[in-house]
Amino acid sequence: MNADSNSRPVNADNNSPAATPARTPVTVIGLGLMGSALASALLDRGHPVTVWNRSPEKAKPLADRGARVAGTPADAVAASGLVLACVLDYDALHTVLDPLVEAGALTGKALVNLTSGAPEQAEAMAAWAEEHGAGYLDGGIMTTPPGVGNPEMMFLYSGSEDVFTAHRPVLAALGDPLHLGSAPGLASLYDSALLGLMWAAFTGWLHGTALVTADGTSARDFTRVALRWLNGAVSLFLTTYAPQVDAGRYPGDDATVDVQIAAIGHLIHAAEARGVDNALPELIRSTMRRAADAGHGSDSYAGVIEVLRGPSAR
């Protein structure tokens, strides 16, 4: 049988033309650079998006793309079962949401909070949301606004597993969603820890770049080698050391802390000779020496964690 140009797929259950799957309506509260990127990514995936911002002019580019601009936070929350919040801080979030609770506007809603804060703030916010009838998910955005919508970028979540499971397809529009556990503060805790890792890595790379460029090497040439080192040997070290940290035993069968103290001395000497600031390697050497003085000189480098942890964690 020949299909004519007007043929459409038919739903076998009701003999009606098959419809495009409905997209979940989403409300986005807060339209700074990140909030606007979140709303834009949702529009890209075809979700009906309602937005609200204290300064309504920030909503115009999204309204031009089809977003509905709510006049008040109450209107914004009423528009969708799923509410994403990304505002300056937790105080700003409470300023927006606290007036809504008396009318029960949050009851039955799923609140996904992508506002940056401390783990303790996330835990308090989860308790607040539960008290007012809302499911709560806390989130950490592991990218800058231009990366939102890229499926390779991680978005960390913690809190209600039911909320995460129900809305995972929507959250996937923003980036790769990773649920860390039911404790609401986990996403914020991971976020802080990973940012610390990033800054340490950035600064170490910049220190190394300053060192080699002093002798005429380009940053690009050095970075090609540095990435191979990070993705190969350094990655292997981390996967080797993680179980040692979990077990609290640090066999020094690759390179001991004492050996590393000697090795970092060469870095400090080379940098000093080239006029490169040595604050970072001096801090690292000082930490290594404290570990050695505490009896970890013959341990692997993972043993340094024993002087980084507070006394109660040892």
Side-chain angles (χ1 to χ4, degrees):
M1 181 174 67
N2 292 330
D4 62 43
S5 59
N6 292 320
S7 295
R8 289 182 290 175
V10 173
N11 187 313
D13 293 333
N14 57 20
N15 294 323
S16 62
T20 301
R23 297 288 187 180
T24 301
V26 188
T27 288
V28 177
I29 292 177
L31 297 177
L33 290 175
M34 187 60 79
S36 295
L38 298 172
S40 180
L42 291 165
L43 288 169
D44 287 344
R45 293 287 187 93
H47 290 279
V49 177
T50 298
V51 297
W52 180 85
N53 192 71
R54 190 173 300 279
S55 304
E57 63 272 11
K58 289 188 177 180
K60 187 179 184 308
L62 296 164
D64 291 343
R65 295 189 54 204
R68 173 181 175 267
V69 182
T72 66
D75 290 340
V77 169
S80 314
L82 175 60
V83 178
L84 304 186
C86 186
V87 294
L88 178 63
D89 54 29
Y90 278 76
D91 287 341
L93 183 59
H94 276 292
T95 298
V96 174
L97 296 183
D98 282 357
L100 309 184
V101 300
E102 189 172 336
L106 292 175
T107 302
K109 302 291 182 178
L111 175 61
V112 178
N113 181 24
L114 296 169
T115 301
S116 295
E120 292 74 20
Q121 290 176 302
E123 291 164 2
M125 195 72 202
W128 180 91
E130 182 178 4
E131 179 184 350
H132 298 293
Y136 183 80
L137 202 60
D138 203 78
I141 304 173
M142 305 313 298
T143 183
T144 54
V148 174
N150 183 338
E152 295 183 0
M153 297 295 107
M154 282 194 307
F155 276 61
L156 308 178
Y157 298 98
S158 57
S160 171
E161 189 167 354
D162 289 341
V163 171
F164 179 80
T165 300
H167 296 290
R168 192 185 190 286
V170 180
L171 301 177
L174 308 177
D176 184 18
L178 179 62
H179 189 256
L180 299 171
S182 60
L186 275 174
S188 178
L189 191 62
Y190 267 68
D191 181 30
S192 297
L194 290 171
L195 287 174
L197 173 62
M198 179 190 74
W199 291 321
F202 279 176
T203 309
W205 167 72
L206 288 169
H207 185 270
T209 299
L211 184 65
V212 299
T213 55
D215 279 14
T217 298
S218 73
R220 289 181 179 179
D221 285 345
F222 174 65
T223 300
R224 279 194 291 270
V225 177
L227 286 174
R228 181 172 175 181
W229 168 245
L230 289 170
N231 293 329
V234 175
S235 175
L236 179 61
F237 292 149
L238 293 183
T239 56
T240 299
Y241 290 158
Q244 293 183 13
V245 170
D246 287 339
R249 294 180 66 255
Y250 316 103
D253 50 12
D254 53 1
T256 65
V257 171
D258 286 338
V259 168
Q260 305 280 14
I261 291 171
I264 200 171
H266 305 315
L267 167 62
I268 291 169
H269 174 81
E272 184 177 344
R274 288 159 179 79
V276 175
D277 183 277
N278 264 327
L280 177 63
E282 288 284 10
L283 173 63
I284 295 170
R285 181 166 66 176
S286 172
T287 306
M288 291 182 192
R289 284 174 169 168
R290 287 195 293 123
D293 290 344
H296 299 286
S298 59
D299 288 352
S300 74
Y301 196 84
V304 172
I305 196 171
E306 295 297 339
V307 298
L308 297 176
R309 286 174 163 160
S312 62
R314 290 174 192 161

mmCIF file of all heavy atoms in Angstrom, residues 24 36 93 100 126 131 138 179 183 237 245 259 304:
data_model
loop_
_atom_site.group_PDB
_atom_site.id
_atom_site.type_symbol
_atom_site.label_atom_id
_atom_site.label_comp_id
_atom_site.label_asym_id
_atom_site.label_seq_id
_atom_site.Cartn_x
_atom_site.Cartn_y
_atom_site.Cartn_z
ATOM 1 N N THR A 24 7.495 17.596 30.369
ATOM 2 C CA THR A 24 7.119 18.036 31.710
ATOM 3 C C THR A 24 7.252 19.550 31.839
ATOM 4 O O THR A 24 8.304 20.112 31.526
ATOM 5 C CB THR A 24 8.029 17.375 32.757
ATOM 6 O OG1 THR A 24 7.909 15.964 32.644
ATOM 7 C CG2 THR A 24 7.650 17.810 34.166
ATOM 8 N N SER A 36 19.362 31.434 33.883
ATOM 9 C CA SER A 36 18.970 31.633 32.489
ATOM 10 C C SER A 36 19.448 30.477 31.616
ATOM 11 O O SER A 36 18.736 30.032 30.699
ATOM 12 C CB SER A 36 19.541 32.957 31.959
ATOM 13 O OG SER A 36 18.973 34.058 32.638
ATOM 14 N N LEU A 93 16.623 32.592 48.672
ATOM 15 C CA LEU A 93 15.632 31.556 48.386
ATOM 16 C C LEU A 93 14.478 31.610 49.386
ATOM 17 O O LEU A 93 13.303 31.512 49.014
ATOM 18 C CB LEU A 93 16.299 30.185 48.396
ATOM 19 C CG LEU A 93 15.413 28.995 48.033
ATOM 20 C CD1 LEU A 93 14.820 29.155 46.632
ATOM 21 C CD2 LEU A 93 16.208 27.698 48.123
ATOM 22 N N LEU A 100 5.062 31.893 50.509
ATOM 23 C CA LEU A 100 4.136 30.993 49.823
ATOM 24 C C LEU A 100 3.605 29.886 50.718
ATOM 25 O O LEU A 100 2.599 29.253 50.381
ATOM 26 C CB LEU A 100 4.833 30.350 48.613
ATOM 27 C CG LEU A 100 5.539 31.283 47.628
ATOM 28 C CD1 LEU A 100 6.084 30.472 46.460
ATOM 29 C CD2 LEU A 100 4.614 32.373 47.135
ATOM 30 N N ALA A 126 16.026 20.996 53.280
ATOM 31 C CA ALA A 126 15.269 19.761 53.059
ATOM 32 C C ALA A 126 14.219 19.575 54.151
ATOM 33 O O ALA A 126 13.071 19.196 53.871
ATOM 34 C CB ALA A 126 16.211 18.565 53.024
ATOM 35 N N GLU A 131 8.558 19.919 55.812
ATOM 36 C CA GLU A 131 7.566 20.499 56.728
ATOM 37 C C GLU A 131 6.414 21.147 55.972
ATOM 38 O O GLU A 131 5.270 21.151 56.437
ATOM 39 C CB GLU A 131 8.255 21.542 57.627
ATOM 40 C CG GLU A 131 7.334 22.239 58.602
ATOM 41 C CD GLU A 131 8.055 23.319 59.389
ATOM 42 O OE1 GLU A 131 9.302 23.400 59.309
ATOM 43 O OE2 GLU A 131 7.365 24.086 60.086
ATOM 44 N N ASP A 138 18.533 18.488 46.469
ATOM 45 C CA ASP A 138 19.573 19.512 46.426
ATOM 46 C C ASP A 138 20.528 19.191 45.290
ATOM 47 O O ASP A 138 20.762 18.023 44.983
ATOM 48 C CB ASP A 138 20.331 19.555 47.758
ATOM 49 C CG ASP A 138 21.004 20.896 47.978
ATOM 50 O OD1 ASP A 138 20.285 21.844 48.348
ATOM 51 O OD2 ASP A 138 22.225 21.002 47.760
ATOM 52 N N HIS A 179 22.839 10.947 41.144
ATOM 53 C CA HIS A 179 22.266 10.982 42.484
ATOM 54 C C HIS A 179 23.252 10.348 43.454
ATOM 55 O O HIS A 179 23.617 9.183 43.312
ATOM 56 C CB HIS A 179 20.924 10.245 42.515
ATOM 57 C CG HIS A 179 20.169 10.422 43.791
ATOM 58 N ND1 HIS A 179 20.096 9.447 44.760
ATOM 59 C CD2 HIS A 179 19.467 11.480 44.268
ATOM 60 C CE1 HIS A 179 19.365 9.894 45.774
ATOM 61 N NE2 HIS A 179 18.968 11.123 45.505
ATOM 62 N N ALA A 183 21.013 11.639 51.770
ATOM 63 C CA ALA A 183 21.391 12.736 52.669
ATOM 64 C C ALA A 183 21.437 14.042 51.877
ATOM 65 O O ALA A 183 22.214 14.159 50.925
ATOM 66 C CB ALA A 183 22.740 12.459 53.309
ATOM 67 N N PHE A 237 47.284 6.652 40.307
ATOM 68 C CA PHE A 237 47.609 6.887 41.712
ATOM 69 C C PHE A 237 46.333 7.061 42.537
ATOM 70 O O PHE A 237 46.198 6.503 43.631
ATOM 71 C CB PHE A 237 48.477 8.144 41.874
ATOM 72 C CG PHE A 237 49.866 8.015 41.312
ATOM 73 C CD1 PHE A 237 50.521 9.128 40.788
ATOM 74 C CD2 PHE A 237 50.534 6.801 41.313
ATOM 75 C CE1 PHE A 237 51.800 9.023 40.273
ATOM 76 C CE2 PHE A 237 51.816 6.685 40.807
ATOM 77 C CZ PHE A 237 52.456 7.800 40.282
ATOM 78 N N VAL A 245 43.024 4.801 51.680
ATOM 79 C CA VAL A 245 42.389 5.773 52.571
ATOM 80 C C VAL A 245 41.215 5.127 53.288
ATOM 81 O O VAL A 245 41.027 5.299 54.500
ATOM 82 C CB VAL A 245 41.950 7.020 51.788
ATOM 83 C CG1 VAL A 245 41.082 7.926 52.661
ATOM 84 C CG2 VAL A 245 43.172 7.778 51.275
ATOM 85 N N VAL A 259 60.328 10.045 50.263
ATOM 86 C CA VAL A 259 60.839 10.181 48.893
ATOM 87 C C VAL A 259 60.224 11.397 48.212
ATOM 88 O O VAL A 259 60.895 12.155 47.497
ATOM 89 C CB VAL A 259 60.556 8.892 48.092
ATOM 90 C CG1 VAL A 259 60.819 9.116 46.602
ATOM 91 C CG2 VAL A 259 61.419 7.752 48.626
ATOM 92 N N VAL A 304 49.313 11.195 53.842
ATOM 93 C CA VAL A 304 49.241 12.628 54.161
ATOM 94 C C VAL A 304 47.848 13.012 54.642
ATOM 95 O O VAL A 304 47.674 13.988 55.369
ATOM 96 C CB VAL A 304 49.667 13.464 52.934
ATOM 97 C CG1 VAL A 304 49.422 14.955 53.160
ATOM 98 C CG2 VAL A 304 51.148 13.215 52.622
#
